[in-house]
Amino acid sequence: MKPDISVTFLTKKMSSPLVLASGVLGLTADSMKRVLDAGAGAVTTKSFSMEARKGHPCPTILPFENGLLNAVGLSNPGAEEMNKEISKLRNLSKGLIFASIFGKTPEEFGRTAALAAESEPDLIEVNVSCPNVESEFGTPFGASFRDVEAITKIVKHAAGAVPVSIKLTVHCQSLSKMAHVCEESGADAITAINTVGPGMLIDTGVMKPVLANKVGGVSGPAIFPIALKAVWEIAGTVKLPVIATGGVTTTDDALQMIMAGASLVSIGSAVYYKDLDVFSNINAGLLDWMTERKMKNLQEIRGKAHE
Amino acid sequence: MSDKMKTYPVVDVKTHHPDMKSFYFTQIEEQIHPGQFFNLWLPGVDEKPFSVSDVYQGIMEITIKAVGPFTRAFMNVKRGDLIGIRGPFGQGFTLHQHSLLIGGGMGIVPLHYLARLLRAKGFHFEVILGGRSEKDIPFVTEFSEWAPTTFVTEDGSIGYQGLVTQFIKEIIYRSKLSHIYSSGPEGMLIRVMEEAAGNGLDYEISFERYMKCGIGICGQCVVDGSGIRLCKEGPVLNRDEAENVTEWGMTHRNAAGKRENKLS
Ligand SMILES: Cc1cc2nc3c(=O)[nH]c(=O)nc-3n(C[C@H](O)[C@H](O)[C@H](O)COP(=O)(O)OP(=O)(O)OC[C@H]3O[C@@H](n4cnc5c(N)ncnc54)[C@H](O)[C@@H]3O)c2cc1C
Ligand SMILES: Cc1cc2nc3c(=O)[nH]c(=O)nc-3n(C[C@H](O)[C@H](O)[C@H](O)COP(=O)(O)O)c2cc1C
Ligand code: FES
């Protein structure tokens, strides 16, 4: 029998375990369709809020030797506009659609989730962990057990039948405790991790920070080991499926995430390093790897590193 | 392509008039194609995309018109100032024999460098340049020297009074031209696409959309229809690519990514 990389996530079948991470190319239906056509099993929208946001001035995204530094500032066209894109995408592709949302208060998370649920995405991913908007929003909610509990409960209630994943940051006291909080508050899945940092880059000519926001989240290969360990810790603590995110660029990275316990593997910055081919290349790489070892499906290696 | 931010000194500035200047830098990359663009960072202000208007003898030129906060601030940039440059980004024009270059306003900028390369190859080409008035048309002298050039302005201050698209058909047939290059306001580009299609001609057109990252990941510059990224697969599109886009002349997206109606 030929190996099969399709997976079942919660109740839904996906052609591939690969997901487009939030914030990369997730703005319009046609753009997300391109990513699904390129081999992703699901796409995550850019995080959206009730109202449109312009984000920070540029530069907002800067490559450095081993990763990207970004402070986009959660620019987005608002929930109403994004719902239209989600509905449009539904008619264009069979791929799964994850709606990423954020808010300024737990109540606003709830209202945005209720709105997002109207477009019937396959998952609502709750961005409690963006490090780029602290001055406006206060410390990221993702650092506080109490905030994550409150947001998870409110969003779960507002989302109705749509399952909910909480997107965590490593910048909290204990990831395993945070994962427990998510599970006990009713989350259906956990996405980990968001960007790390914040970090900074300085131009040695003008001797000033380059990002307009001065500091930004670090992503890409530089954070892979941190993300991998986070996924390993969460998957070892709770039963919830984990959407592993952070620095995945190659087939080997994706395999490591699955062995650490990931159900799905999400890819953001690698679109910069490998362009959209990253999805078909890793799909093909997974198939080759499984064929060599006569494996039938990815379930056989999920969480293997814990044994 | 250098994606990483680095600052370079301005080696010279040329004033076309107080609201339009060319800035010169040492050529930062070996391969720079006409139609490609750089992201320029004015430290402390912002970072915005600009076409390369020329590359000549190791110097590259960027030509900017003041239209808003960033470009107005850029008019104060002087020789020796440090400017952050990333690029060149995107796909540019390819070089063809027997072509017609059709430019409007600041869209003329990338055609200037294209014309230099066509001329260096000894290719035959003609030019139609339009603008509101003579001062809105950069590089009048160079184009006039390099190729048969028809000027068209709304106020008649140089050349004919009217619209550039009126002259396409006549020139194509008179001079047996087979390829169109165009860049300018979108309303003009749509008419160029119609004329080209009507006359069975291939074309390469440079389009503009709001850009942020320049490296194909933020999604800011994607267009409806094909979902391609203008910073990566564009800004120059060929006929097939351009015809698969459904939003020309109707919508574009602002800094938040929200659709706005537009016809410029
Ligand atoms: C590929 C490309 C090449 C360009 N080449 C040139 C050039 O050679 N010379 C030149 O003078 N101008 C060029 N432009 C336009 C230039 O980027 C804008 O004029 C500039 O960004 C305006 O900024 P502002 O703050 O002065 O004005 P604003 O008041 O902010 O905007 C004025 C106009 O510029 C547009 N604009 C603003 N920010 C951006 C952005 N980040 N990306 C795209 N458009 C934007 C706005 O939509 C508006 O139509 C080019 C644009 C693109 C996309
Ligand atoms: C440019 C950029 C924008 C991002 N925007 C968001 C966002 O809006 N919401 C979110 O939850 N995560 C956002 N992220 C974080 C990614 O979804 C992901 O968690 C992180 O980048 C690590 O994965 P990667 O290394 O594969 O990029 C963004 C990342 C980048 C690079
Ligand atoms: S400007 Fe970011 S994808 Fe094109």
Side-chain angles (χ1 to χ4, degrees):
Chain A
M1 211 178 94
K2 269 176 56 181
D4 182 7
I5 57 163
S6 71
V7 290
T8 303
F9 176 68
L10 298 172
T11 58
K12 305 235 167 104
K13 189 95 171 164
M14 289 169 59
S15 60
S16 156
L18 303 183
V19 181
L20 176 73
S22 180
V24 173
L25 293 182
L27 197 55
T28 70
D30 291 329
S31 172
M32 290 187 275
K33 176 180 188 291
R34 258 190 101 198
V35 177
L36 290 167
D37 289 347
V43 287
T44 314
T45 68
K46 214 172 167 64
S47 293
F48 58 90
S49 45
M50 297 290 287
E51 305 297 331
R53 284 171 58 94
K54 240 174 73 162
H56 298 308
C58 292
T60 50
I61 305 178
L62 293 169
F64 64 95
E65 206 50 47
N66 298 300
L68 299 175
L69 185 70
N70 97 78
V72 173
L74 292 173
S75 62
N76 79 91
E80 205 180 310
E81 183 96 1
M82 286 307 297
N83 269 354
K84 287 187 208 153
E85 299 300 325
I86 293 170
S87 303
K88 180 177 168 191
L89 178 59
R90 183 65 77 200
N91 293 320
L92 294 174
S93 173
K94 286 199 175 64
L96 266 51
I97 309 168
F98 300 169
S100 174
I101 60 153
F102 70 96
K104 284 198 267 288
T105 59
E107 290 67 33
E108 200 183 307
F109 270 95
R111 284 199 299 277
T112 314
L115 251 182
E118 287 176 14
S119 66
E120 298 179 7
D122 299 293
L123 180 78
I124 291 178
E125 186 173 276
V126 188
N127 178 5
V128 293
S129 47
C130 184
N132 292 329
V133 281
E134 284 183 34
S135 44
E136 187 183 342
F137 292 83
T139 7
F141 295 111
S144 151
F145 300 120
R146 214 181 312 150
D147 285 343
V148 169
E149 179 184 345
I151 291 170
T152 307
K153 285 181 172 163
I154 284 183
V155 168
K156 241 334 252 184
H157 182 72
V162 182
V164 171
S165 181
I166 308 298
K167 183 163 181 181
L168 298 181
T169 165
V170 286
H171 300 295
C172 64
Q173 225 177 48
S174 157
L175 259 180
S176 43
K177 180 160 177 215
M178 193 59 89
H180 267 305
V181 169
C182 293
E183 187 168 54
E184 278 157 21
S185 310
D188 301 284
I190 290 176
T191 306
I193 57 175
N194 209 313
T195 53
V196 172
M200 178 182 274
L201 290 168
I202 290 174
D203 179 78
T204 52
V206 291
M207 305 186 222
K208 285 188 171 73
V210 184
L211 283 179
N213 191 49
K214 296 188 176 64
V215 300
V218 181
S219 63
I223 70 165
F224 175 75
I226 298 172
L228 181 65
K229 186 265 179 184
V231 168
W232 185 81
E233 184 174 339
I234 295 165
T237 310
V238 293
K239 293 223 163 55
L240 301 179
V242 180
I243 306 174
T245 314
V248 174
T249 314
T250 64
T251 301
D252 195 72
D253 298 339
L255 285 166
Q256 291 190 54
M257 285 294 198
I258 296 168
M259 290 170 188
S263 292
L264 302 180
V265 178
S266 182
I267 290 176
S269 304
V271 171
Y272 163 68
Y273 291 98
K274 303 281 171 87
D275 210 352
L276 293 178
D277 295 339
V278 69
F279 295 100
S280 57
N281 286 345
I282 295 184
N283 283 342
L286 291 174
L287 276 174
D288 286 348
W289 192 87
M290 289 159 74
T291 308
E292 272 172 34
R293 286 161 186 78
K294 300 194 172 35
M295 285 184 180
K296 291 190 196 61
N297 59 56
L298 293 168
Q299 203 53 40
E300 296 176 42
I301 56 162
R302 175 155 304 119
K304 269 281 183 202
H306 291 271
E307 290 170 10
Chain B
M1 175 170 73
S2 53
D3 300 355
K4 291 178 194 140
M5 179 66 80
K6 191 163 155 34
T7 48
Y8 300 87
V10 174
V11 296
D12 205 358
V13 180
K14 175 171 139 192
T15 303
H16 299 265
H17 54 78
D19 284 339
M20 196 199 291
K21 296 186 180 181
S22 292
F23 301 87
Y24 299 85
F25 302 90
T26 301
Q27 183 177 347
I28 64 165
E29 285 285 316
E30 184 102 4
Q31 291 280 337
I32 302 174
H33 300 291
Q36 287 189 304
F37 67 96
F38 287 97
N39 273 7
L40 296 195
W41 173 49
L42 198 48
V45 183
D46 211 326
E47 184 197 38
K48 300 277 184 186
F50 295 92
S51 304
V52 51
S53 60
D54 204 2
V55 179
Y56 186 59
Q57 296 184 337
I59 299 290
M60 57 186 214
E61 177 195 75
I62 304 283
T63 304
I64 300 181
K65 183 177 177 178
V67 295
F70 180 85
T71 47
R72 263 199 296 276
F74 221 99
M75 293 301 121
N76 300 322
V77 168
K78 295 183 184 46
R79 184 190 308 182
D81 287 357
L82 290 172
I83 300 297
I85 307 182
R86 298 191 293 135
F89 295 133
Q91 309 298 319
F93 296 106
T94 56
L95 304 184
H96 293 269
Q97 256 294 17
H98 306 302
S99 62
L100 176 61
L101 281 58
I102 307 167
M106 288 312 279
I108 292 167
V109 160
L111 300 181
H112 176 255
Y113 177 34
L114 172 67
R116 176 182 295 285
L117 298 187
L118 291 172
R119 192 161 162 270
K121 279 211 164 249
F123 284 179
H124 168 223
F125 65 99
E126 295 200 19
V127 186
I128 311 177
L129 301 181
R132 210 162 302 150
S133 139
E134 179 170 4
K135 75 170 196 352
D136 300 308
I137 303 184
F139 308 116
V140 168
T141 322
E142 290 85 342
F143 278 106
S144 306
E145 270 173 31
W146 291 352
T149 301
T150 305
F151 292 99
V152 190
T153 45
E154 284 171 30
D155 65 0
S157 52
I158 179 173
Y160 299 97
Q161 195 163 6
L163 296 170
V164 294
T165 36
Q166 286 167 244
F167 299 87
I168 297 177
K169 202 164 182 169
E170 184 197 323
I171 296 177
I172 287 172
Y173 285 104
R174 178 189 26 136
S175 303
K176 298 196 175 58
L177 303 177
S178 53
H179 192 86
I180 288 181
Y181 297 106
S182 192
S183 171
E186 203 155 298
M188 180 195 101
L189 298 179
I190 290 168
R191 289 194 296 274
V192 170
M193 286 168 72
E194 287 164 0
E195 281 287 324
N199 292 286
L201 296 180
D202 272 338
Y203 58 77
E204 289 169 66
I205 292 182
S206 177
F207 292 92
E208 280 185 23
R209 279 296 177 270
Y210 202 102
M211 292 183 181
K212 286 184 176 173
C213 72
I215 52 175
I217 63 165
C218 74
Q220 180 68 45
C221 67
V222 298
V223 284
D224 284 345
S226 53
I228 60 169
R229 300 157 290 184
L230 280 191
C231 75
K232 184 110 183 164
E233 285 89 17
V236 175
L237 302 182
N238 63 27
R239 188 168 156 182
D240 284 347
E241 293 165 330
E243 284 179 353
N244 283 330
V245 175
T246 52
E247 68 172 49
W248 300 140
M250 295 188 299
T251 54
H252 71 152
R253 279 171 302 93
N254 63 19
K258 198 173 164 73
R259 280 198 184 73
E260 289 175 341
N261 290 327
K262 105 166 211 174
L263 228 183
S264 58

